[in-house]
Amino acid sequence: MTVEKTDILVAGGGVAGLMAAMSFAQIGYSVICVDPSPPVSDRGDERADLRSTAFLMPAVEMMQEVALWPLLAPHAAELRVMRLCDSGGVENGIREQVDFDAAEIGYERFGWNIPNWALRDTMIGHAERFETLDLRMGRAVKSMLARTNAARITLDDGARIEAKLVIAADGRNSLIREILDIPSRTTRYGQKGIVFAARHPEPHDGISTELHRTGGPFTLVPLPDEGGAHRSAIVWMETGPNVADLMALDDDAFSAAATQRSCNILGPLQVEGGRRSWPIISQQAESLIGARTALIAEAAHVMPPIGAQGLNTSFADIRALIDAAGRNGIGSEQMLDDYAQARQRDITLRERGVEVLNRAALTDAQPLRDLRRSGLRLLGGLAPLRHAAIRRGMGLG
Ligand SMILES: Cc1cc2nc3c(=O)[nH]c(=O)nc-3n(C[C@H](O)[C@H](O)[C@H](O)COP(=O)(O)OP(=O)(O)OC[C@H]3O[C@@H](n4cnc5c(N)ncnc54)[C@H](O)[C@@H]3O)c2cc1C
């Protein structure tokens, strides 16, 4: 069988892999992107992934660069304010809140929130239009042999490909990471996140609210109105046994429990379209690079869904890869070192920030819950500290 040659092979056509593939194709590299999921038209329930993703402005700018943004804008809800609340008192109610307003640092908005089902399908449709991008849905990487001058990849249909650079975007259980023998550290919190969308009588006004109480944060993120109803995407983080109890409730009982946990800030919540639970973990690969290979997104780092950091960190990986490719030869040792150096510190800082917030939310002891409240009050009162936190959270340095 002949060996196909390409500049870049992207393993994984999730949101991060597709974005990397489009960004490199846009600047003229030949790219093959493979993913074992079936093509969009062959999938059953188009709204099966109930998650949504809050994209911060640096990520939105990357989507604009590949002309993807106009296609996604109709599905997007604006995020103007991120509100952090402490509801960890003895009574169920908000004890302290601090608003991070994009206007405080001269931005109209932090970003936009998009349901995952709309995101992935739109991205796949758009990726098919790039001349130098060969998208192979329904195909997986089976093996790889990476040498200093190129990487040889075999797909599950027997196709053999030689690439100057392999981008491993094949998720938290990355096969490429395993082939390269790169260990990863995993932290389990005994938590799960219940993901669902809900209708509510009060408008969200572009405010994303994180309510911290024992068990984990309860986060409401704006969705666009539909059929005249106000809607939000919700991630409810809780300890495993509590999640099992909540998942066993019928929709009406679950909606009532969610309304209570939300401190009723948007009025009674009515869950729509089902719910799913996701395990909450942190994971970090011990190296971001191997011969001719760069690890990005969840293949490199997984973090709890707090502060919209997960995929936005992944987009920052892609930006750093493009910059490193511009300064060095594609896939060269210098390029890969450059990439690893540019990303390691930022990834670690973001992971630590999310970890601290999650541990603070998990804590059961009342004195520690009161300490969390004091921390919020301090942040609310000190504008420079708050502005620094906003800029850091948005990935603006
Ligand atoms: C509840 C929840 C809410 C979240 N909310 C946000 C948010 O608001 N903002 C945010 O920034 N992040 C958020 N995240 C994180 C975000 O969803 C993840 O970072 C993102 O989905 C991971 O993208 P990925 O492309 O790395 O991985 P995946 O989406 O897992 O994609 C990996 C792909 O690799 C493919 N693959 C696997 N094996 C192979 C192989 N051998 N060959 C080829 N392909 C392969 C898989 O089929 C898959 O399509 C959230 C996460 C959760 C759990």
Side-chain angles (χ1 to χ4, degrees):
M1 191 180 260
T2 53
V3 177
E4 300 170 67
K5 295 203 173 186
T6 185
D7 290 327
I8 300 168
L9 179 119
V10 180
V15 174
L18 288 169
M19 190 64 211
M22 284 191 261
S23 300
F24 276 101
Q26 171 85 3
I27 49 178
Y29 289 102
S30 58
V31 182
I32 296 175
C33 177
V34 295
D35 193 293
S37 327
V40 178
S41 53
D42 294 357
R43 274 192 270 134
D45 179 7
E46 60 157 12
R47 296 195 178 199
D49 186 347
L50 297 166
R51 285 178 300 169
S52 72
T53 303
F55 287 96
L56 304 174
M57 285 321 284
V60 174
E61 279 155 24
M62 288 179 68
M63 296 199 274
Q64 280 162 340
E65 285 164 22
V66 297
L68 175 66
W69 182 245
L71 307 173
L72 290 173
H75 302 288
E78 187 183 35
L79 305 172
R80 282 188 312 100
V81 174
M82 295 218 184
R83 178 168 290 165
L84 225 57
C85 302
D86 182 283
S87 55
V90 181
E91 302 294 324
N92 181 41
I94 294 175
R95 306 193 293 172
E96 197 69 51
Q97 80 177 39
V98 52
D99 280 1
F100 299 91
D101 190 332
E104 285 190 70
I105 59 157
Y107 277 73
E108 264 180 75
R109 57 188 73 85
F110 282 106
W112 300 85
N113 189 40
I114 303 173
N116 278 17
W117 63 265
L119 188 61
R120 189 121 188 275
D121 292 1
T122 308
M123 288 183 90
I124 290 172
H126 190 56
E128 281 165 352
R129 295 187 201 135
F130 286 76
E131 253 176 44
T132 61
L133 170 52
D134 176 355
L135 183 61
R136 300 190 192 175
M137 297 304 290
R139 292 281 159 260
V141 169
K142 202 172 139 211
S143 62
M144 177 177 89
L145 190 63
R147 300 212 183 282
T148 43
N149 58 341
R152 282 266 177 113
I153 301 98
T154 306
L155 304 187
D156 58 356
D157 60 354
R160 287 166 22 167
I161 299 166
E162 188 176 292
K164 291 178 190 153
L165 172 69
V166 172
I167 300 179
D170 51 346
R172 54 183 71 183
N173 301 316
S174 169
L175 174 70
I176 306 273
R177 195 180 64 216
E178 198 185 306
I179 292 172
L180 291 172
D181 220 3
I182 299 176
S184 60
R185 273 171 282 119
T186 306
T187 309
R188 296 178 200 282
Y189 303 96
Q191 276 171 308
K192 286 189 172 177
I194 307 175
V195 184
F196 58 101
R199 293 173 177 246
H200 40 80
E202 302 298 330
H204 45 60
D205 289 330
I207 301 172
S208 173
T209 307
E210 252 176 49
L211 291 144
H212 289 247
R213 189 173 171 81
T214 307
F218 181 98
T219 308
L220 304 108
V221 191
L223 283 175
D225 289 354
E226 206 173 76
H230 304 306
R231 299 162 64 243
S232 291
I234 298 173
V235 181
W236 183 352
M237 283 164 62
E238 261 296 350
T239 51
N242 287 346
V243 166
D245 292 346
L246 288 165
M247 290 298 281
L249 297 176
D250 65 28
D251 272 3
D252 285 343
F254 181 79
S255 297
T259 302
Q260 201 204 12
R261 179 64 183 82
S262 74
C263 300
N264 211 20
I265 53 170
L266 297 174
L269 300 173
Q270 187 58 53
V271 59
E272 58 169 33
R275 53 198 123 111
R276 258 194 81 174
S277 73
W278 295 79
I280 304 295
I281 61 162
S282 285
Q283 186 170 283
Q284 192 166 7
E286 282 186 12
S287 171
L288 295 175
I289 53 173
R292 292 274 155 191
T293 310
L295 267 50
I296 68 163
E298 290 208 333
H301 45 75
V302 182
M303 39 191 106
I306 296 178
Q309 291 301 302
L311 211 50
N312 288 285
T313 308
S314 307
F315 274 44
D317 297 344
I318 299 166
R319 174 71 80 198
L321 260 190
I322 294 169
D323 291 349
R327 287 190 287 266
N328 311 275
I330 186 90
S332 66
E333 227 177 289
Q334 297 92 308
M335 178 205 157
L336 292 166
D337 285 344
D338 190 344
Y339 165 68
Q341 270 198 7
R343 294 301 301 139
Q344 197 59 67
R345 187 168 170 272
D346 179 59
I347 292 171
T348 307
L349 278 177
R350 292 199 203 213
E351 284 203 331
R352 284 199 190 137
V354 168
E355 165 94 12
V356 166
L357 278 174
N358 192 32
R359 294 252 182 234
L362 261 174
T363 184
D364 215 356
Q366 193 61 47
L368 289 177
R369 285 153 69 176
D370 291 341
L371 190 65
R372 178 177 73 209
R373 177 190 188 180
S374 314
L376 266 189
R377 186 176 292 165
L378 181 73
L379 205 54
L382 285 176
L385 199 60
R386 211 171 49 248
H387 295 174
I390 297 176
R391 298 189 68 82
R392 184 73 240 156
M394 281 179 82
L396 298 172

